[in-house]
Amino acid sequence: MPPKGKSSASSATRKKHARKAAAGQGVAEEPQVPKEKKPKGKDKKSKKEPRKKVYIPPVKPARVQPDPLDTLGLAQRLPPELLVVLRLLSKKDATTKRRALEDLQTAWVGRAKRGDEGEYLIHTLQETIPVWLHHLPSLFVHPSRRIRLLAVGLHASILQIPALRTQLFFQLREVVSSDQAEPILGSWCLAVHDVDRQVSSYARESWTRYVSTTDASDGKLLLDSTLLSSIWEFVQRTLLDPMGVYLYINPPQPAISTPAQSRKGSGRGTPVRKDDDASPRPKADEDEEKEQDRKARLRVGAFGATEWVLNAKFSEPEKPKVQASEGEQDGETQASAHNFLAPLANPALWSSLYHGKSPPFVDTQSFGYEQPPVRRAAWSLLQTLIQKCKGHMHALLPVLSTAVLRSAWIEPDPLVRAAMWQPLLMFLKEYPNSWTLDADSEKEDGDEDEDSENDDDDAPKAPPSKPSATASQAYTDFLQFLATGCSGSPAQGYPAVLIILSTIPTSIISASSSQPLEDIFTSFWAAVDARVLNSLDRVAASTAFLSSLLECLVLLVRRVLAVPEAEGVSLLYGSSQDHPSDVDSAVKAILREQTKRTWEELSSGRVKVEGKDAGSELAKTLANLHKLRPDLFDTAWSVIAEQIQNSTKDVIPALVPDLLKQFTTTLEQGSAPGNAATDLVKIVVQTALDQCATLLDAGEPQHDRVESLVGTLDTFGDVVFSDAEVAKGVDDLVQNQTYKILTTMPSLLLLYLKYRRDEAACLAVWHKVLEVVARHTDEIESILPVLLDAAENQSLPDYLRPQGEELHEIAGTLLTEAVSAPPNTPQVAMIRRLLTSYQPFISSSCRGNLLRGLVDAFVLHFDSVLHDEKASTNAFATPLNLLHGLVDQGTSDALQSFAASLFPYIFLFASVLPRVLPVDATQESIAKDLWGQWEANGSLDAKRSTLGVIKHIHRELLIDPLARPTPEQILHSLSASSFSAEVNVLSEIFPSRADLDGMLEALPSAPLHASLAVIDPLVPPPSQYRTSKTVPLEHDVQGFSKYARIVHGLLLHLADDRQAARENIWALHHFLSLSIYAEDLKHLPSAESPVFSRTISRLTLQSLIDKVQQLSTYLLSPTAEEQWHSSVTNALVSQGPASGLDGVGQLVVDLIARAKRHDTVRESRVLHMILRHALSTASKDDAEQWMLVARKIEKQAPHTSLVIIFSVTHYAPEPTRLDRFRNELAAGTLGLPASKANTEGLWLLRNLAASAPDPESDIVFLPQLRAVNLIKVCQQWITSDEDLEDDVQSEMTLVFASLVPILSNVPGAHWDLVFDVMENNLENASLDDSSTYVVLARTLQLFLVIEEYAATNKTLKAVWEERKSGNLTLIRDLVSRRLDNQKPSTPLSVCRELALQIVQDLPSSLLTKDTLSKMCHLVMDGSVNVQRMAYQLLQEAAKKYTEELVIEAAVDTEATMKSELPTELLDILQRSLNHEEAEEYGQGWFGYLLAWMVTFDLFTDASLKVKSGYIDQLRDLDLVGSQLLPTVFGILDLYGGMAKVFKLDIWDVDEFYLEFYAADTPLSLRLLTAHLYYRALLLVPSLIRNWLVDCRDRQLSTTVASYTSKHFSPAIIRTELGRVKDPAVAAELSGENITVKVASAVNEVTASYAIDEQSLDLTVKLPADWPLHTIEIRDSKYVGVTEDRWRAWVLGVQQILTFRSGSIVDGLSFFLKNVTSHFEGLAECAICYSVVNATDGSLPRKPCRTCKNRFHAACLFKWFASSHSSSCPLCRSEIMTGR
């Protein structure tokens, strides 16, 4: 403490304050803290720099303001809903506040903005304005950004409503006090400059629109001087004490102490703990930000608000001082401004500029410590002060000078530095004396300390001495700033160094050291030494450094020479007294030193600057030095010239030519600097030429030396040949050393050709160059590219041409190698460039030959690709690249002569080839680009010839079955081309009609096989047509022969062009013929087709049939016209020329006329396809005419006649002639002997069958008597001695089926004949023999007809029942027969379908245990209908199979019987199917899944023992894990993860109706698979669970588990619980003391056994993902049994449910049987401790004769097997078998 009565301030301090007061600073005095005594002596020197101590007045704590809701009585007047929302605003929880703001915005203010509820809502919200203003400050400064954003938005919405805005402004002007208005307006202004941009943007919009300092309109709030001052005070308090202001706005709630209640009977209350301070405010909402961050946020807003106030206060320009009175008024204004700005003079405020914790200029913690946003805001405020308050800054300068200069040079943050430069430079430029003020402040602080010490020690004062310059700490920081490369921001900092250095006074610089200028440059170079400039953008940083260094060098030299000599000496030597007096020599020494250092750093690369930039900067420096003083230029130039000459002795640096180039262009020619630069260039050039000659004489020249010399000569090429002697020497050098120049220094040759202006000399050298290249072919890859580069860059003279054929042979070799090489090889690149820039190297004729070879290579390979699958498209890469390069280089004219042979294939490559096979996208793009350029630039004649070639190629490709493009691809390429309108596809691409007719005539017309009559009754028996041997034909990739390929293409074309199809109706004959061939092959895929290959896809055939059907339906539509039939039949009957017929009519006439000449089965079937459509609209008269036609051609064309009769019978109204025709046929058989039965009789029977009406119609086929006679005739034929062919019996069978309805009521021997024929046919039929399929199918149809009529006819039934059983047995045996080499066959499937239809209701006597094994192969048939019906039959067979196994297992007491699946079924389950088969046929997968369905059907009604046998077999063969599950997961797409699985959300997996299965959609197969997986989970859960445990694919196992638990587990749990609830099961489980309860809500089943008043309870709980996880068994309580026995029962239940795949019913049944048996006194097995065996459900029947204990047979067997003995487990004596 200071002595009593003495002031704590020293005399120096009092003097300083007096000077400041005299200067009129206007800064309020602040209380100072007394200083402690400083140590003396040596310790004094090490004292820290003194800091100013400031006083920050604390903000007065505010009391808690009462809520206007209570004080104004608003709580009683406002709606309750609004009151609740407003109450929530005062809550501390941030979430509650946020919800309140959102509700207030949407439910109240938003509705008011929309005009809802009219004036009432506006009036209600007007009353809430005081409440809103009460909460506004705390909301605007809230820590939560979301709350601030919502509050600002709500405030803006309130202001947008005029009535609310008026009320709010009225409250601010008239109602609230100044103390209340200050935080409201202040916080609003802080929000305008909030640190969050979105909050700031919203708040600024409302502030700008509704707040003004000049406009006094009603719509705006005018900030008068009072309101503006209140904002200013609030902002300044926030800057200095943000936490105080925050607590002022959010005052802590006072703690309310409640008196402690005394206990009853005690004499005093419980003491209450009293804290000294009030309880701290809960930090629920403050926890979002730290206290330091909150201070920074508030200060950033306060700085912005300060700028706004300054802009508003000082926005008007200052008025000029004209009169004295105005001057006095201006003085008052200045005083007012000084007072207004006085708060800004607080040093603590400007500590916001300082990044450290303790600023050196004020004794407090820095406001900007660890807060870059605060520092940026402070620099922004400084800029505003300089711009707006320039005339009022003098009072602030002492504080600002120190704060700015002591903070700027040590700022570490790049963003802050970016914001700092402009205000810093403005400040230093406006107030350069700030350096002096800062230094004086430091000196005064030091004097203050010394005076204080002197006063304390009462020591005598020394006499006053002259004031001496004091070293500035700010200047020291600036030098350190330079040494660190502008603090790591050289690109931004160095451009400002010159301005900064120009503002530093000489006194500050000279006082720094004894070598001030050297210190500046040392600081500059320190950044280079420390490698600070080696940043990412090193070049830019180094360029900025060099520019700043050289500019500062000129500046300092100019300052030294311009100031008085004394100041110049002080700049050079500082305060040192011992120094030379020659300033000029010292300046030149510095100049030489810095110039040399600059060159050294540039040449070494440490200062990495581009040569041009370095030369430009040096040239500017030299020019400025010359302007300053010529001798200074000479000094610097001598250093540069000497360094350049020294550097060119060995290798000329790349920097030298660039520097000299800049010197010669920048320095003025004719001046001393320009002449000096020119002389130096000549010296360097001559040196370079001498070195070139030396290098050529050397063996292996160094690469860097060559580059340096070439760069130098290229830069100064004109100088080289300006002297004739030098030029002559260079000519001799190049001609004599051509080879060496080409191999070592080719760029020298190019420079020679570039700068040598003598054409003759250049040509002579060039010819020699070509000769050298031709001689040295082994080095061509290194020599020729350099010359090609020069030609492409146009570096060679235009007049260079070859003298002869120097490079012709080399060019040909290069092309040959390039065509077969990859596109990126050097040969390809060279030949491309050679063909493009050929003039200097080869002749035009040579180039033409090369192009011809290139085109030929492309065409030949293209043809091989179109026909050979092994040919690769990679070989096209090089030719296409070469051709494309030629066209891109503008040399496409040279390809005009090859247009007809090249561009058609280019078109094919671009349009056809990508459709055929994968083509590289780049190659395709090149081909399209080439074709596009050809279309745009080709001549008309060339285009026409090219189009002709394209048509020819397409025609050849279309008819060539070996060509890889399909007709569809060929036609699409034509239709998509730009010239499609110029191509007549029918006449120019397709063969003529005559050619196609000839091709069709050459093809066999007979059907593929006689068995097709099963499907098509018009297919005749083999005896009625001649078969020809099929000649092997060539087929295309789709499986089409030449004829099929052409007709298929024609079909595709006419399907797209319906008008052309109408005009060419003749093509319909070929379409229908091709469709017949396709139909036949589809039904018999293994047959040899004359037009298709065996490998053709079934889908392709079906697509072809569908297209023919669609087009034929369209083309046959004219047959519906009224006169069409009469026109056609008249033309056929009259036999005259057909005139007036349409295309279809003419086609029919032509077909019948052709049939008269040569009747074929194919043409008759074609006619049937036409008549089937045409006769649907025919009248009865038309039918009569068609019958007339049929009868007329009966002898000439029997097949065609039969087709017409068949068509009239089935599609047209019944004509009279048809009935007569039937009777004539029947009558004709009466007199026909058996010898003619195989010929005429066969035709009669066929015609009878063709004319038989539909059984469902009312038409009578034949009279009964005639029918009986017909059968008698047939009987005569059969019983005769003639050898009756099978075809006759087959036709008889077909006719008999039509006679059954007629004769059903007529008894007689004719039925015996019919039944005999049936049995004979069945006995002779075999599914192995396809020739019997027709008679078998007709016999089965006859069986079904008889069965149908026997059901309603007693007479027929009586006769039929005697013969039915034998026929059924034959049919059953036929179906059961398994074919060894079964091939896909529709007739076979039809026969099986008919047979299965018959045996569906097979009597139980014919259904045996072997039926399943014999018939299970039927599920793999090629017909879906057969598979479906086979499954229905196999379901019954599976029941029979399991039923017998259950009986065998029940009577098996020796445990020798094994429950196994049929071997034939296992063979199907072990098959491996592929996805290709599933995509093409689908029946294979369908049959495989049906086989698994049959397998699971075997579990139905099976005992536990039989089930266990099945499961063990499936486990041993791993059928579920290796076969079933992969199939299920593959079809349901589980391998791709849950995102790709088949969605089952809308499907029920527990049911599937097989009759609705559709083979043409994959949906049915997937749903069946899902149902199958459901059954597997239900019946064999243990096997699936084991697979899941063993699965190592984590993704798959996770997918399976998720998919199963989501879609299957609920259904399975529902099924399991439903079984327990089933009445039959409940009756089985129920008993006298037994109770079973089901809790479906929790998936639990509880079984209880009552014992007196207690019970044994066992609870089974199913997990949510059952059966993937095991069940949980809870033994609630057990009484009356031992723990071991109870455990055995529980373990048995677990074993049944977990490992035996048993159901809950099985487990509970086991448990209840054991419990019941136990309490009934039955002995349990001494091995498993159970009465009922958990495996087979048997009782312990095997006794030990010694100990009398009984065991289960299965348990004993396991005991014997494990112990390897037959002793009793208990007494160890031998067990004798038997009872």
Side-chain angles (χ1 to χ4, degrees), residues 970-1006:
I970 295 170
L971 294 174
H972 279 181
S973 70
L974 285 174
S975 62
S977 65
S978 58
F979 53 79
S980 58
E982 304 177 30
V983 181
N984 188 334
V985 178
L986 281 177
S987 61
E988 295 178 327
I989 304 299
F990 286 99
S992 64
R993 176 181 180 180
D995 293 339
L996 280 178
D997 290 343
M999 293 180 188
L1000 181 59
E1001 288 291 341
L1003 294 174
S1005 61

Side-chain angles (χ1 to χ4, degrees), residues 32-47:
Q32 300 291 325
V33 179
K35 290 182 175 290
E36 296 180 358
K37 288 185 67 176
K38 302 293 182 179
K40 296 183 180 180
K42 295 181 180 179
D43 292 339
K44 178 181 177 182
K45 296 181 182 179
S46 62
K47 66 181 178 68

Side-chain angles (χ1 to χ4, degrees), residues 1330-1637:
S1330 59
S1331 63
T1332 64
Y1333 290 169
V1334 178
V1335 66
L1336 175 60
R1338 291 173 178 176
T1339 304
L1340 295 174
Q1341 290 170 351
L1342 177 59
F1343 185 99
L1344 292 171
V1345 173
I1346 294 174
E1347 185 77 11
E1348 178 184 357
Y1349 281 92
T1352 58
N1353 192 298
K1354 293 183 179 180
T1355 303
L1356 180 58
K1357 183 176 183 181
V1359 180
W1360 173 240
E1361 288 297 333
E1362 299 176 0
R1363 308 289 293 270
K1364 178 180 177 181
S1365 179
N1367 288 318
L1368 277 176
T1369 304
L1370 292 172
I1371 295 173
R1372 183 200 64 181
D1373 295 340
L1374 275 173
V1375 173
S1376 303
R1377 176 69 181 275
R1378 182 174 183 178
L1379 305 182
D1380 296 332
N1381 296 317
Q1382 180 180 346
K1383 297 179 181 178
S1385 172
T1386 302
L1388 173 62
S1389 297
V1390 171
C1391 293
R1392 277 181 169 167
E1393 186 176 342
L1394 291 171
L1396 287 171
Q1397 186 177 351
I1398 294 171
V1399 300
Q1400 280 296 302
D1401 300 324
L1402 200 65
S1404 58
S1405 60
L1406 298 179
L1407 198 63
T1408 64
K1409 179 182 178 182
D1410 297 333
T1411 303
L1412 177 62
S1413 58
K1414 290 181 178 179
M1415 291 190 176
C1416 63
H1417 67 276
L1418 292 176
V1419 295
M1420 301 306 292
D1421 190 84
S1423 171
V1424 174
N1425 292 331
V1426 173
Q1427 292 174 306
R1428 187 185 294 117
M1429 289 188 290
Y1431 173 69
Q1432 295 173 0
L1433 178 62
L1434 293 175
Q1435 272 187 308
E1436 299 298 325
K1439 293 180 181 178
K1440 187 70 173 179
Y1441 185 88
T1442 299
E1443 179 182 344
E1444 295 194 12
L1445 283 183
V1446 169
I1447 296 174
E1448 292 179 14
V1451 299
D1452 178 35
T1453 59
E1454 302 296 332
T1456 59
M1457 178 263 181
K1458 291 185 179 180
S1459 302
E1460 294 184 343
L1461 300 172
T1463 305
E1464 293 79 4
L1465 183 60
L1466 290 176
D1467 292 340
I1468 298 176
L1469 299 182
Q1470 291 174 331
R1471 292 187 183 183
S1472 297
L1473 300 178
N1474 52 55
H1475 289 280
E1476 289 74 11
E1477 184 179 352
E1479 293 174 1
E1480 185 172 354
Y1481 295 105
Q1483 290 91 338
W1485 285 91
F1486 180 52
Y1488 184 75
L1489 298 181
L1490 289 182
W1492 275 105
M1493 293 281 286
V1494 173
T1495 303
F1496 293 140
D1497 287 331
L1498 289 168
F1499 285 79
T1500 305
D1501 297 333
S1503 63
L1504 188 59
K1505 183 175 182 180
V1506 173
K1507 285 182 184 178
S1508 299
Y1510 289 161
I1511 293 174
D1512 291 341
Q1513 190 176 16
L1514 291 175
R1515 181 185 294 111
D1516 295 340
L1517 297 176
D1518 193 24
L1519 291 179
V1520 173
S1522 62
Q1523 298 292 333
L1524 175 62
L1525 293 182
T1527 301
V1528 170
F1529 298 157
I1531 296 177
L1532 296 180
D1533 295 330
L1534 266 66
Y1535 288 108
M1538 283 298 294
K1540 297 181 179 181
V1541 298
F1542 175 65
K1543 307 303 180 185
L1544 285 171
D1545 305 84
I1546 63 174
W1547 305 102
D1548 290 332
V1549 297
D1550 54 347
E1551 291 181 335
F1552 187 84
Y1553 299 97
L1554 204 61
E1555 58 269 21
F1556 298 118
Y1557 179 85
D1560 55 350
T1561 171
L1563 178 62
S1564 295
L1565 187 68
R1566 290 182 170 183
L1567 293 178
L1568 175 60
T1569 305
H1571 177 68
L1572 178 64
Y1573 184 49
Y1574 159 79
R1575 296 192 65 184
L1577 290 168
L1578 191 64
L1579 297 173
V1580 289
S1582 60
L1583 301 182
I1584 298 177
R1585 196 181 304 118
N1586 292 339
W1587 175 90
L1588 191 63
V1589 171
D1590 296 337
C1591 181
R1592 295 295 177 261
D1593 188 339
R1594 180 171 296 180
Q1595 178 185 357
L1596 178 60
S1597 62
T1598 304
T1599 304
V1600 170
S1602 302
Y1603 194 69
T1604 304
S1605 60
K1606 179 179 180 181
H1607 298 295
F1608 296 90
S1609 294
I1612 295 174
I1613 294 173
R1614 187 168 57 249
T1615 302
E1616 286 284 358
L1617 298 180
R1619 286 179 179 176
V1620 181
K1621 295 179 182 178
D1622 184 77
V1625 175
E1628 179 185 347
L1629 295 178
S1630 63
E1632 181 179 356
N1633 300 321
I1634 297 174
T1635 304
V1636 177
K1637 296 180 181 179

Side-chain angles (χ1 to χ4, degrees), residues 153-199:
L154 178 59
H155 189 61
S157 299
I158 292 174
L159 293 175
Q160 290 174 5
I161 302 174
L164 300 184
R165 181 171 67 248
T166 303
Q167 179 67 19
L168 189 146
F169 290 167
F170 174 77
Q171 290 283 333
L172 288 175
R173 293 192 192 102
E174 306 296 339
V175 179
V176 301
S177 64
S178 60
D179 291 341
Q180 294 173 334
E182 178 182 324
I184 293 172
L185 293 174
S187 61
W188 188 4
C189 193
L190 289 183
V192 174
H193 303 89
D194 194 272
V195 69
D196 184 81
R197 292 186 178 181
Q198 193 172 7
V199 175

Side-chain angles (χ1 to χ4, degrees), residues 74 189 209 264 352 465 731 743 943 1024 1034 1159 1195 1246 1314 1338 1441 1534 1716 1752:
L74 297 178
C189 193
R209 180 179 297 179
K264 186 176 181 180
S352 302
S465 59
D731 291 341
T743 54
K943 289 180 182 178
Q1024 291 190 340
E1034 295 174 339
D1159 193 19
K1195 300 297 183 182
R1246 285 198 67 205
V1314 173
R1338 291 173 178 176
Y1441 185 88
L1534 266 66
T1716 304
H1752 293 120

Side-chain angles (χ1 to χ4, degrees), residues 523-709:
S523 299
F524 263 111
W525 291 112
V528 177
D529 296 335
R531 299 183 179 180
V532 179
L533 304 181
N534 296 353
S535 60
L536 292 178
D537 197 357
R538 183 181 176 186
V539 175
S542 299
T543 303
F545 166 80
L546 179 64
S547 176
S548 178
L549 173 70
L550 295 177
E551 289 173 348
C552 292
L553 175 63
V554 175
L555 172 70
L556 293 175
V557 168
R558 182 182 290 112
R559 176 183 286 192
V560 170
L561 297 179
V563 299
E565 183 177 358
E567 289 188 24
V569 170
S570 65
L571 283 173
L572 290 171
Y573 305 107
S575 57
S576 174
Q577 300 296 325
D578 186 14
H579 56 77
S581 58
D582 188 358
V583 175
D584 190 65
S585 299
V587 168
K588 290 182 179 180
I590 292 175
L591 192 59
R592 279 193 297 269
E593 180 183 355
Q594 296 305 317
T595 304
K596 184 176 180 181
R597 177 73 184 271
T598 300
W599 169 260
E600 290 174 351
E601 300 297 343
L602 286 174
S603 60
S604 64
R606 295 180 66 192
V607 177
K608 191 175 183 61
V609 183
E610 296 291 340
K612 294 181 180 180
D613 296 334
S616 177
E617 295 296 333
L618 286 173
K620 286 193 297 183
T621 302
L622 292 172
N624 291 333
L625 290 175
H626 186 267
K627 291 178 182 179
L628 186 62
R629 270 176 41 186
D631 59 328
L632 297 178
F633 165 78
D634 294 339
T635 301
W637 179 256
S638 63
V639 176
I640 293 175
E642 181 183 359
Q643 295 297 326
I644 288 177
Q645 292 182 32
N646 291 336
S647 66
T648 58
K649 292 180 179 179
D650 186 15
V651 178
I652 300 177
L655 180 65
V656 171
D658 292 336
L659 288 180
L660 294 179
K661 189 69 175 180
Q662 290 298 319
F663 289 166
T664 56
T665 56
T666 304
L667 298 176
E668 183 181 356
Q669 296 296 325
S671 63
N675 294 336
T678 303
D679 294 340
L680 184 58
V681 166
K682 292 181 179 180
I683 295 173
V684 172
V685 167
Q686 186 60 48
T687 303
L689 290 174
D690 295 341
Q691 291 182 3
C692 283
T694 304
L695 284 177
L696 290 175
D697 293 336
E700 292 292 335
Q702 299 175 0
H703 182 68
D704 54 346
R705 294 191 63 185
V706 171
E707 284 188 351
S708 65
L709 293 175

